[in-house]
Amino acid sequence: MHTEHPRGTSTRTALARLGFTDPERAQRLLGPAGLDLLDDPAAAAVLTGLAVTADPDLALTGLDRLAAALPEPGRLLSSLRYSAELRERLLGVLGASAALADHLARHPAGWSALAVPELASSRPSPLGLERRLLAAAGADRPLDALRIAYRDRLLELAARDLSGTLAVEDVAGELADLAAAALQAALVIAAAGLPPDASPCRLAVIGMGKCGGRELNYVSDVDVVFVAAPADGADEAGALRTATTLAAGLMRICSATTGEGALWPVDAALRPEGNAGPLVRTLASHQAYYRRWAKTWEFQALLKARPVAGDLDLGREYVDALAPLVWTAAERPDFVAEVQAMRRRVEAALPRAAADREVKLGPGGLRDVEFAVQLLQLVHGRADPALRSGTTLVALDALVAGGYVGRADARPLAAAYRFLRTLEHRLQLHRLRRTSTLPTTDAELRRLARSMGYRADPVSALLADHAGHTREVRRLHEKLFYRPLLTAVARLPAPAARLTPAAARARLEALGFADPAGALRHLEVLTTGVSRRAAIQQTLLPVMLGWFADAADPDAGLLSFRQVSEALGATPWYLRLLRDEGAVAERLARLLATSRYVADLLARAPEAVAMLADDAELAPRPDTALRAEMRSLVTRSEDWEAAVAASRGLRRRELLRTACADLLGRLDIDAVGPALSGTAAATLDAALTAATRKVAAERRSDDLPVRLLVVAMGRLGGREQGYGSDADVLFVHDPAPGVADPVAARVAHDVFEEMRRLLALPAPDPPLVADARLRPEGRQGPLTRSLASYAEYYRRWAAVWEAQALIRAAPVAGDAELGERFTALVNPVRWPAGGLSEVAVREVRRLKARVEAERLPRGAEPALHTKLGPGGLADVEWTVQLLQLRYAAAVPGLRTTATLPALDAATAAGRLDPADATVLADAWRLVSRVRNAITLVRGRTADSLPRPVRELAGVARAVGYPAGDSGAFVEDYRRTTRRARAVVERVFNE
C-alpha cells in the first residue's frame, strides 16, 4: 500500500530519511499488512525509536519477528506507543543485536521484563542472579533452561547498557557475576549426575582472567582453575576423581551446543602445566607447583584469581595461599623483561593486515592497558596492598592514588580503556560471538558506530576516535610499561620497596651510608605525610638509595636530592618526571652523589633537572646560538647589571649541561673544552655588549669613538678550558678616525673596567674572572692598548714567554675586523720566520725549569700535581708550544691555538715520532679529565689529586673507574704521566 507523507513526499522517501536502507521492505513491515504502525499518529514515536537505533532495518526485522511470535502482539505494540523506556530498551537491543532478537523470537515473553520501570535503576546482586539461574537446574531439560535463563538476564543487561544507564565497568562486572551464577548452576546440574557412591569432595571454581577480574565481555571464554579437597573423611584420591568428574561436567554443560545454543567455552588452560596437567588439583599440589615450576606469566595470571563458584571457603584459602607467591614474583630474575617480552610476542603473532583493526591485542589496544597496569601492580604491589585488585580500572585508580602513575597519564588511559571495552562489547553483541576485530564493510561499521552513540558521519567519527585512543594508549603503554624505574624497583627486596622507618634504617646501613641517622632524617622529611609528593617519594627513594650508594658520596647525594626536591616541591612536573622517566631519576642520583659542582649548580637552578630527560638536551649548544641568546638578553634591557646577571644565569645552565653530559659519558674531553670555552666566550661577548651600551648611554652617544676587542689567551684561546679556568684575555682598542688615542684609551678603559665589574658582581653562579695579567708589562701596564701600541711593544720589547703566550691568542669578542688585524699583527711574533734562535730555545727551557721549581706548592706531591707535575699539563703544553715556536713558520698545520691538533700536525710534518705523540696526547687527555673531575667532585678548583679517600674515590669514578678502583686509577695516572715525562725530557730538551 502506498501512502503519502504529510508533507507530500512518499512514505518510502520518509523511511529512507529515517535511516532505513530498504524502505520498501520497511513500508511493508510497518503498514497494515505488517505491524500496522504507519497510519497510526500515536505510533510516530515508535518510528522515531526505530530510526535512532544502531540499525533501523535490523530493529524492525526483530520487532516484526517478536510480534509474530506473540499470541497477542497488540499489547506489545500498544506498550511501545506509550512507553519511551520500553522503546529505548527493546528497540535499542533489536537494532544492535541480531542474536538477542533471535532469542526473543524463540522466547517472546521475555520482552515484558524490559517494560518494568525499575529496570533502569536495578543492580542485580550476584546472589540474586545465582538464584534465578539455579532455578533452571531443576527443569526437565536443565541445559536448555540454563541457557534461556542466562540469555533472559543478558537481554535485561544489554537493554540497560544500550540505553546508557550503565558504565562499561558496571556492565563488565555484571557479566562476570552472571557467568559466576551460570558456573554455579552448571556445577549443581553436574552434581545431580554423580553416582550415589561417589566420594564426597569440596570443589572450588577459581575465576581467572576477565571473569576473575570482574571485567567480562558479552562473549568470552571463561577462564577457570579448579581446586579440590576431600570432604567428610573421604580419601584424597577418591575426592579428586569426584571433583574431576564435576569439573569436566561443568565445562561440558556450559560449552555444549543444544537447541538453545551454548553459553561460552570454559577454559581451564591456565591451570598448572596447562592442558597437559590434571584438570583438578589439591591446594597443596597447586602450592608445590607454583613454588617450584611456575613461569612468570603464570603469576601474572594469578593476579586476577577470584573464587566464583563451588566451595567459596576453599576458593578463598586457595587465593590466600598463593597471594604471597604472586606478590613476590617481581623479585624473580629478569621478571620485568620477561613480562615485556611476553607482550611483544603476543603483538608479533597478530596478522599484520588486521593489527590496526584489533581492539584487544593490537598496538594501542586493551592488552596494552592491561599489561602496563598489571606490571606496575606486580612491581609495586609487593609493598603496597592497596594495589592488589584484579580489576584494571580499580587498580589504575589505586596506582594514581599511590603516586605510581600521574593523573595526567591515568585520565586518558582510563578513557581509552572504557572506549575500547565499550567498542568490544558492541562488536560482540551483534551476533553474540567472540570477536575483537573492527569490521571492514561500511554497513557493519555504520551499525557499530551508531551503537556507540555516533550520529553525524558515524563511521568517520568512530574511526577517528579509535585511532586517537589507540595512539594515546600506545604512547602511555610505552611510557609506563617500559619505564626503566620498574626494573630497578623489581630488583629490591620486598621490605625495601616501600620506605617504612625500619626498612629505611636497615637499607641505609646495608648500603654503606656514612651517617645513617642523618640520611634517615632526610628521608623522613621527603616521605612523611599523606601528600601525593610524599607518596611518589616513597616509591622513588628505595631505588634511588641504591644509585646514591653506587657513587662515591651517597650522603652528599641524598642531601643534595633533598635540597633540589624542596626547591621544586611545588613544581608539578618534577616528581612526575623522576617517576615516569626512570633514566632521569638514575642520572640525577648519580650526578648528585658524584659531583658537588653539579649539586651546587642544581641548587641554584633546580628546574634544569628537566634536561636530564633528553639526550639531545645534554648536547652543547652551538657557539653562535648561545652568543645570540646572551646578546639578546643584554640588548633588551637598560638595567645593565640585571642583563649581565641573566647572561651569567645562561652560562650557569650551560656549565650544568656540559658537566652532566661529561659525567654521564655523553661528552669526551675533546668536546668538553670547546663547550666550556664557547660558553665563556659568549658570556664575555654579552658583558662587553652591555658595558659598551652603558658607557655610551652615560656619554649620551649612540657610538663610541673607539673600536674594541677582547682577545682570548691561555686555555680559553685554545678552546681547552676546564671547569675551574679563568678567562685569560687581552684588551685591545683602536681609535675612530680623527680621535686622539688618549681619548679613545680612556673610553676603552671605562668599557673594559665596567665589563670586568659586571662579570665580578656577586651572583649565584661560578665566577668568570676576566684576567688580563698576560698583557704587556703585566699588572704594571695599562689595562688596554691600541693596536699600534701592541705592534710597537711586540716589535721592541716582547720576551720569549710573551711570544709563547701569544700562541693561544684568538679574538673572542668585539670588533671582528679589528680581531683580524690583531691576529695578523701577532702571527709573526708567535710563528717567527726561521724559528727560534738557540738562545731563545734555551730561554724557554730555563723558564720551564724555573716555573717547576718556584710554582709547585709547598707540600704537594709532584707526581700527583696535574698542572706542574711530571707528565702533567705544563710538560705536554710547553713541549708542544716549543715545537710550534720553532717550526710553525714552515709548517702551517702547527699554526693552531689548540694542543692536540698541534701534536697531530707535528707528527704529520715529521717533527715528532707518532709513538711519542700518542704518549703525550694520552697524558694530556687523562690529566685534563682528572683536573676537571677534581673540580666536579669537590665543587672547587684544585691542581693535585685529593688525599681524602672519599674525594679520591669520587674523582676515580668521575673519570670512569669502577667503585673500589681508586688504587688502579692512581697507578694508571702515575704510569701515564711517567711515560709522558720521559717523552718530554727527550723532545723538549733535545
Side-chain angles (χ1 to χ4, degrees):
M1 176 180 177
H2 179 75
T3 60
E4 292 295 317
H5 189 273
R7 294 183 180 178
T9 56
S10 72
T11 300
R12 293 177 189 173
T13 302
L15 291 172
R17 288 177 177 171
L18 286 171
F20 292 94
T21 58
D22 189 348
E24 184 174 351
R25 179 175 178 275
Q27 182 180 0
R28 185 170 65 253
L29 294 178
L30 289 164
L35 298 171
D36 198 17
L37 294 173
L38 277 180
D39 295 325
D40 181 357
V46 180
L47 288 177
T48 303
L50 287 166
V52 298
T53 64
D55 186 339
D57 295 274
L58 183 64
L60 178 56
T61 299
L63 180 61
D64 179 65
R65 293 177 63 203
L66 174 58
L70 288 168
E72 296 181 5
R75 177 169 168 260
L76 166 66
L77 299 177
S78 176
S79 297
L80 282 172
R81 287 180 174 91
Y82 301 109
S83 173
E85 289 180 335
L86 179 62
R87 287 195 299 273
E88 184 178 34
R89 295 169 190 162
L90 177 59
L91 300 182
V93 169
L94 294 175
S97 178
L100 289 175
D102 289 344
H103 174 73
L104 276 172
R106 291 194 305 274
H107 307 283
W111 75 267
S112 59
L114 305 187
V116 176
E118 294 76 17
L119 182 66
S121 59
S122 66
R123 294 290 186 272
S125 68
L127 184 59
L129 287 171
E130 186 177 304
R131 285 172 179 165
R132 297 179 74 174
L133 266 63
L134 279 174
D140 291 339
R141 300 171 63 185
L143 270 63
D144 283 343
L146 176 59
R147 284 151 177 72
I148 295 168
Y150 179 86
R151 291 213 169 80
D152 281 343
R153 307 290 77 73
L154 203 64
L155 173 67
E156 295 169 11
L157 177 57
R160 291 159 57 221
D161 179 10
L162 290 163
S163 60
T165 61
L166 285 180
V168 67
E169 54 265 42
D170 295 328
V171 174
E174 289 194 26
L175 284 167
D177 291 341
L178 183 56
L183 290 169
Q184 185 63 39
L187 192 58
V188 171
I189 296 170
L194 286 175
D197 58 348
S199 295
C201 71
R202 301 170 66 196
L203 176 65
V205 184
I206 309 298
M208 305 286 282
K210 292 186 180 300
C211 179
R214 296 194 76 251
E215 46 192 19
L216 204 62
N217 294 330
Y218 276 98
V219 185
S220 287
D221 284 359
V222 173
D223 295 309
V224 298
V225 168
F226 298 105
V227 59
D232 298 333
D235 68 287
E236 185 175 291
L240 281 175
R241 283 194 297 272
T242 301
T244 301
T245 301
L246 283 173
L250 176 150
M251 295 176 69
R252 177 185 57 78
I253 289 164
C254 293
S255 306
T257 301
T258 72
E260 293 293 335
L263 290 179
W264 14 252
V266 176
D267 190 343
L270 293 178
R271 67 186 184 268
E273 299 181 71
N275 290 328
L279 183 60
V280 180
R281 288 176 182 257
T282 63
L283 177 54
S285 176
H286 277 283
Q287 287 178 291
Y289 173 83
Y290 283 109
R291 285 198 180 102
R292 299 180 62 185
W293 295 295
K295 298 180 174 61
T296 294
W297 69 265
E298 293 178 279
F299 293 106
Q300 185 178 356
L302 282 173
L303 190 152
K304 291 182 176 289
R306 176 176 67 97
V308 293
D311 190 320
L312 298 182
D313 289 336
L314 178 59
R316 282 186 283 270
E317 288 177 34
Y318 171 90
V319 172
D320 292 343
L322 295 183
L325 301 178
V326 174
W327 300 111
T328 55
E331 297 172 15
R332 295 160 63 96
D334 300 320
F335 168 81
V336 173
E338 286 182 20
V339 176
Q340 292 169 343
M342 182 165 59
R343 173 63 186 128
R344 288 192 292 268
R345 286 195 297 272
V346 170
E347 198 171 298
L350 281 175
R352 190 180 296 267
D356 290 341
R357 294 187 295 113
E358 177 55 54
V359 173
K360 180 168 69 173
L361 301 177
L366 289 164
R367 280 291 187 272
D368 271 359
V369 181
E370 292 163 353
F371 264 68
V373 170
Q374 289 166 22
L375 182 55
L376 288 166
Q377 284 181 273
L378 289 165
V379 169
H380 297 297
R382 296 172 301 152
D384 190 348
L387 304 181
R388 300 177 185 179
S389 171
T391 306
T392 301
L393 290 175
V394 174
L396 183 57
D397 286 343
L399 287 165
V400 172
Y404 306 97
V405 175
R407 294 187 184 93
D409 289 341
R411 279 192 296 270
L413 199 65
Y417 183 79
R418 289 186 172 97
F419 172 86
L420 294 170
R421 288 302 308 274
T422 303
L423 188 60
E424 188 178 36
H425 284 179
R426 300 294 189 267
L427 279 167
Q428 295 178 348
L429 255 180
H430 180 50
R431 294 289 182 191
L432 287 183
R433 291 177 183 166
R434 189 177 61 176
T435 180
S436 56
T437 305
L438 292 179
T440 55
T441 68
D442 285 344
E444 290 175 305
L445 282 170
R446 182 174 182 274
R447 183 194 66 249
L448 178 63
R450 284 171 62 88
S451 75
M452 294 278 291
Y454 294 94
R455 289 296 179 266
D457 195 8
V459 173
S460 297
L462 170 68
L463 294 178
D465 280 357
H466 175 255
H469 281 301
T470 53
R471 272 196 309 272
E472 188 69 358
V473 167
R474 192 59 172 180
R475 179 185 72 81
L476 292 169
H477 170 79
E478 291 176 350
K479 175 180 178 180
L480 299 174
F481 193 60
Y482 296 100
R483 181 189 288 173
L485 193 63
L486 280 175
T487 303
V489 174
R491 293 194 186 112
L492 293 176
R498 199 75 171 169
L499 280 178
T500 63
R505 187 176 295 105
R507 185 152 172 75
L508 290 168
E509 292 172 355
L511 289 172
F513 277 72
D515 181 12
L520 189 58
R521 286 194 296 273
H522 300 321
L523 294 179
E524 288 172 349
V525 170
L526 290 168
T527 61
T528 298
V530 294
S531 70
R532 186 169 182 77
R533 291 199 300 271
I536 296 176
Q537 291 282 21
Q538 289 168 14
T539 303
L540 288 169
L541 281 165
V543 181
M544 295 187 73
L545 288 178
W547 291 328
F548 289 134
D550 283 343
D553 195 347
D555 297 84
L558 180 56
L559 170 61
S560 297
F561 178 71
R562 174 184 169 180
Q563 292 168 341
V564 171
S565 296
E566 288 176 341
L568 291 173
T571 306
W573 56 263
Y574 167 62
L575 289 177
R576 185 169 66 236
L577 178 72
L578 298 188
R579 179 195 61 208
D580 295 346
E581 303 289 345
V584 177
E586 182 174 4
R587 285 174 170 180
L588 180 61
R590 296 192 188 285
L591 289 168
L592 293 177
T594 297
S595 173
R596 184 74 254 169
Y597 185 88
V598 168
D600 289 344
L601 289 176
L602 273 176
R604 294 161 181 162
E607 67 282 354
V609 168
M611 72 173 62
L612 299 179
D614 186 355
D615 287 346
E617 281 294 307
L618 295 175
R621 297 188 61 204
D623 290 0
T624 52
L626 192 54
R627 281 184 180 240
E629 185 177 3
M630 287 193 182
R631 190 174 291 184
S632 173
L633 280 176
V634 298
T635 55
R636 288 200 306 262
S637 173
E638 300 301 319
D639 185 342
W640 322 110
E641 294 183 358
V644 173
S647 67
R648 289 171 64 182
L650 289 181
R651 173 175 175 260
R652 180 174 64 243
R653 180 195 68 190
E654 296 309 311
L655 291 176
L656 178 61
R657 188 194 311 276
T658 303
C660 291
D662 185 0
L663 288 167
L664 294 171
R666 308 291 308 174
L667 287 182
D668 60 21
I669 191 62
D670 293 6
V672 169
L676 294 172
S677 302
T679 299
T683 309
L684 292 171
D685 179 74
L688 177 62
T689 301
T692 302
R693 295 182 71 233
K694 180 183 179 184
V695 172
E698 291 172 345
R699 293 174 60 86
R700 298 183 180 179
S701 171
D702 292 336
D703 296 310
L704 295 179
V706 65
R707 291 192 292 175
L708 306 170
L709 175 68
V710 180
V711 178
M713 303 289 284
R715 305 189 73 76
L716 177 59
R719 291 181 63 78
E720 298 168 347
Q721 272 209 313
Y723 294 102
S725 299
D726 289 341
D728 292 319
V729 295
L730 298 179
F731 294 120
V732 186
H733 67 268
D734 192 37
V739 178
D741 184 57
V743 174
R746 282 195 299 273
V747 175
H749 183 276
D750 290 347
V751 172
F752 291 134
E753 278 290 11
E754 178 62 16
M755 172 185 169
R756 296 173 76 192
R757 186 188 75 84
L758 291 172
L759 287 172
L761 289 172
D765 50 62
L768 180 63
V769 177
D771 189 340
R773 285 179 298 174
L774 293 177
R775 65 186 183 268
E777 302 179 66
R779 291 176 176 171
Q780 305 305 314
L783 180 65
T784 176
R785 289 176 180 262
S786 68
L787 188 65
S789 176
Y790 274 106
E792 180 69 12
Y793 178 87
Y794 288 133
R795 183 178 64 82
R796 299 179 61 184
W797 295 296
V800 172
W801 74 264
E802 291 177 295
Q804 183 179 351
L806 285 172
I807 288 175
R808 290 170 173 258
V812 73
D815 190 282
E817 191 270 338
L818 182 58
E820 292 174 1
R821 291 165 58 199
F822 180 85
T823 301
L825 165 67
V826 301
N827 278 347
V829 181
R830 56 184 174 178
W831 324 129
L836 285 184
S837 66
E838 285 302 315
V839 173
V841 171
R842 285 196 296 272
E843 176 65 11
V844 172
R845 292 170 179 159
R846 185 188 68 79
L847 285 172
K848 182 176 183 299
R850 180 182 171 188
V851 167
E852 289 181 6
E854 296 180 0
R855 295 190 181 177
L856 192 68
R858 185 184 301 273
E861 184 178 350
L864 300 182
H865 197 277
T866 60
K867 184 175 182 180
L868 301 176
L873 290 177
D875 262 4
V876 177
E877 291 172 358
W878 279 68
T879 301
V880 171
Q881 289 163 15
L882 181 59
L883 290 171
Q884 291 178 281
L885 287 167
R886 298 179 70 180
Y887 305 118
V891 180
L894 284 170
R895 301 170 198 167
T896 175
T897 63
T899 303
L900 295 179
L903 271 176
D904 292 340
T907 304
R911 300 295 182 181
L912 187 63
D913 183 90
D916 289 344
T918 298
V919 169
L920 293 178
D922 288 347
W924 188 89
R925 286 189 171 98
L926 175 61
V927 175
S928 295
R929 289 176 64 202
V930 170
R931 191 176 171 84
N932 279 343
I934 293 169
T935 303
L936 289 171
V937 170
R938 301 181 72 216
R940 60 185 187 277
T941 303
D943 291 323
S944 291
L945 267 65
R947 292 179 179 175
V949 174
R950 178 161 284 188
E951 285 189 0
L952 181 62
V955 171
R957 295 295 300 276
V959 173
Y961 283 76
D965 272 7
S966 300
F969 158 65
V970 174
E971 285 306 310
D972 286 348
Y973 180 88
R974 289 179 182 274
R975 184 184 309 109
T976 301
T977 54
R978 188 166 55 244
R979 294 176 63 202
R981 180 67 170 193
V983 173
V984 168
E985 289 179 346
R986 186 173 64 255
V987 174
F988 188 77
N989 296 313
E990 66 175 348

